[in-house]
Amino acid sequence: MKKVALLGSTGSIGTQSLEVIEKHGLQVTALAAHSNAELLAAQAKKFHPEAVCIFDPAKVEQLETMLMGEHIEVLCGMDGLCEIAQAESTEVLLNSVVGMVGLLPTLKAIEAGHDIALANKETLVAGGSLVMKNAAEKGVKIYPIDSEHSAIFQSLQGNSMNRIRKIILTASGGPFFGKTREELLHVRAADALKHPNWDMGNKITIDSATMMNKGLEFIEAKWLFDLTPDQIEIVVHRQSVLHSAVEYEDCAVIGQMGVPDMKIPIQYALLYPERVECPTRPLSLTDYGTLTFEKPDYDTFDCLRCAIDAITEGGLRPAIVNGANEEAVGHFLRDEIGFLEIGELVRAAMDHVKGGEVTCYEEVLEADQAARAYVRERMTKK
Ligand code: NDP
Ligand code: MG
């Protein structure tokens, strides 16, 4: 019975992870959320963790009241997340919080020697070099949950001796693929929140619409699989059936297919290397009939170009792009800026915020905060 601490348990990935955990009888050592105290309390009563953490201090009292008599420790804020991440009773930290706020708990879990099942892509985008270096030093394994990275990880099995020519990172293209910038001028949050294939949290749904999500995944892939940017090819595949693939030296391409359901990669990350029944449905290729593959449109979806430029330049650039994007997406979700302004703000932050090398967490945090502050400052001048 693997012992799992789950950060972001009330979200899209978090709730699906609990379904997988329940199906296979894994043990939950801790749960954490931002502010959804009701759902967190209900999950805690069902899974009996040792501790729960609510990030928002205003919700602590409510959570404590709901968990009265349950003998579950109630923690709060970043200190609480880090305490959970390091707890001795944990074997795997499943990190499915949204945003770069997940970086420090990931680093703490690695320090404690716990393996990581990672959905929180912003962690690798902002601090990939630190995470991978520390994990290698500690002998900690990082199991990807993002479906594309899980597909690559699955396609690498049994091939450790073979050289990768490139990886094919597939992208659904989001709800606006094929549109021109003119057509996207008046897009609002409600339009962008309608994703054709996946039901996800709001932030990643907007990232999918701008295709920043694929840019973040490009950076995530670079770190997870030790690739150079020119070894990663983004291919738009509208049906989200081929979740990504690896091309080897002999030009053989090995990919992983399945229905678009995150429970498959979540389960693979938690039960690796076992393949057992999963609470999902099988793939019927004949129901799909046709699978299509196209080139991305980097001019319309300029966020994608920003992310690739950032990782090509390296250092703190990806942390700046990520911080500016998190901030800009927040403004877009509140209908304070237009859809195309997200990419414009990210590019402006990239051009104006000081970069440099990454040697420690504090530098990443500083770059992240400088990028957010830059976007906020631009907003006040609007
Ligand atoms: P959601 O918005 O659905 O859920 C986010 C979760 O994180 C919630 O439980 C939220 O709590 C919690 N959270 C947010 N901030 C904090 C914080 N400061 N401290 C503690 N908990 C926090 O997001 P998703 O599940 O969609 O995405 C999670 C991550 O996984 C993202 O990085 C995303 O890019 C990645 N991912 C998601 C996929 C998907 O299909 N959804 C696919 C691949 C990757 P609360 O409910 O209280 O706000
Ligand atoms: Mg993905």
Side-chain angles (χ1 to χ4, degrees):
M1 262 220 305
K2 206 175 243 177
K3 294 173 183 157
V4 185
L6 174 51
L7 307 187
S9 62
T10 52
S12 161
I13 294 290
T15 50
Q16 294 181 82
S17 298
L18 285 174
E19 268 185 68
V20 170
I21 284 171
E22 186 178 13
K23 165 134 182 111
H24 298 291
L26 308 185
Q27 195 177 324
V28 175
T29 55
L31 295 169
H34 181 271
S35 45
N36 190 345
E38 289 86 358
L39 183 54
L40 185 59
Q43 292 175 337
K45 284 179 185 169
K46 182 168 176 185
F47 289 93
H48 310 290
E50 292 160 12
V52 292
C53 173
I54 189 105
F55 194 83
D56 181 357
K59 293 294 180 90
V60 174
E61 217 180 294
Q62 186 192 352
L63 186 61
E64 279 173 343
T65 308
M66 286 188 286
L67 291 178
M68 195 99 77
E70 297 282 338
H71 306 289
I72 297 171
E73 190 180 3
V74 176
L75 303 165
C76 174
M78 183 54 91
D79 288 348
L81 292 182
C82 290
E83 196 175 324
I84 280 181
Q86 296 172 94
E88 225 173 88
S89 55
T90 296
E91 287 171 302
V92 182
L93 177 77
L94 196 165
N95 188 347
S96 65
V97 302
V98 57
M100 121 90 183
V101 71
L103 176 58
L104 190 58
T106 302
L107 292 171
K108 294 289 180 191
I110 293 171
E111 213 175 286
H114 304 329
D115 287 341
I116 313 284
L118 192 63
N120 175 225
K121 63 188 79 186
E122 295 89 350
T123 279
L124 281 179
V125 172
S129 60
L130 296 177
V131 171
M132 297 316 288
K133 181 172 148 280
N134 295 3
E137 279 170 12
K138 280 277 180 183
V140 158
K141 297 194 181 61
I142 304 207
Y143 298 107
I145 286 183
D146 211 345
S147 57
E148 296 76 3
H149 306 77
S150 174
I152 295 161
F153 180 57
Q154 294 180 55
S155 305
L156 289 169
Q157 298 306 309
N159 280 294
S160 58
M161 304 297 289
N162 294 317
R163 216 179 75 86
I164 301 173
R165 274 168 63 95
K166 69 171 185 205
I167 64 148
I168 297 165
L169 188 68
T170 52
S172 74
F176 306 133
F177 183 69
K179 298 249 187 277
T180 61
R181 285 183 74 82
E182 191 130 89
E183 288 170 311
L184 295 178
L185 213 49
H186 303 293
V187 161
R188 287 282 160 225
D191 312 308
L193 284 171
K194 293 180 197 131
H195 195 278
N197 303 341
W198 301 93
D199 185 11
M200 311 177 286
N202 284 354
K203 195 261 177 179
I204 184 177
T205 307
I206 302 305
D207 284 346
S208 300
T210 61
M211 289 196 75
M212 176 57 95
N213 184 50
K214 211 47 56 181
L216 302 180
E217 290 183 354
F218 187 101
I219 300 172
E220 192 186 4
K222 181 246 166 338
W223 289 119
L224 281 172
F225 307 112
D226 191 22
L227 302 164
T228 55
D230 61 0
Q231 281 181 297
I232 307 172
E233 181 187 7
I234 297 172
V235 173
V236 175
H237 165 50
R238 299 292 282 156
Q239 300 78 22
S240 300
V241 167
L242 174 66
H243 296 299
S244 281
V246 179
E247 182 179 305
Y248 289 95
E249 191 73 326
D250 60 353
C251 295
V253 177
I254 299 182
Q256 183 254 329
M257 294 201 277
V259 291
D261 184 337
M262 289 306 296
K263 290 194 284 299
I264 301 173
I266 291 168
Q267 177 166 308
Y268 195 69
L270 286 177
L271 300 187
Y272 174 84
E274 260 183 84
R275 289 192 185 276
V276 290
E277 201 182 307
C278 180
T280 185
R281 57 191 198 288
L283 170 67
S284 165
L285 279 174
T286 50
D287 281 355
Y288 282 91
T290 306
L291 298 182
T292 58
F293 300 96
E294 296 163 77
K295 287 200 165 83
D297 170 358
Y298 291 98
D299 297 326
T300 305
F301 299 95
D302 53 349
C303 283
L304 190 50
R305 179 87 69 198
C306 278
I308 295 172
D309 287 351
I311 191 63
T312 306
E313 275 184 52
L316 290 164
R317 286 281 157 232
I320 292 167
V321 161
N322 181 70
N325 182 59
E326 284 194 34
E327 190 69 30
V329 169
H331 289 293
F332 176 70
L333 281 167
R334 294 189 293 274
D335 280 331
E336 292 161 2
I337 57 171
F339 184 74
L340 296 177
E341 282 177 276
I342 300 174
E344 287 160 16
L345 286 166
V346 172
R347 176 59 76 180
M350 236 182 106
D351 292 344
H352 288 93
V353 178
K354 197 172 133 274
E357 289 309 305
V358 179
T359 56
C360 63
Y361 168 74
E362 286 69 25
E363 287 166 353
V364 176
L365 184 63
E366 209 175 294
D368 171 77
Q369 290 183 344
R372 289 169 196 264
Y374 178 81
V375 170
R376 280 196 299 272
E377 191 193 311
R378 286 275 300 242
M379 290 294 301
T380 59
K381 289 185 185 149
K382 261 169 74 91

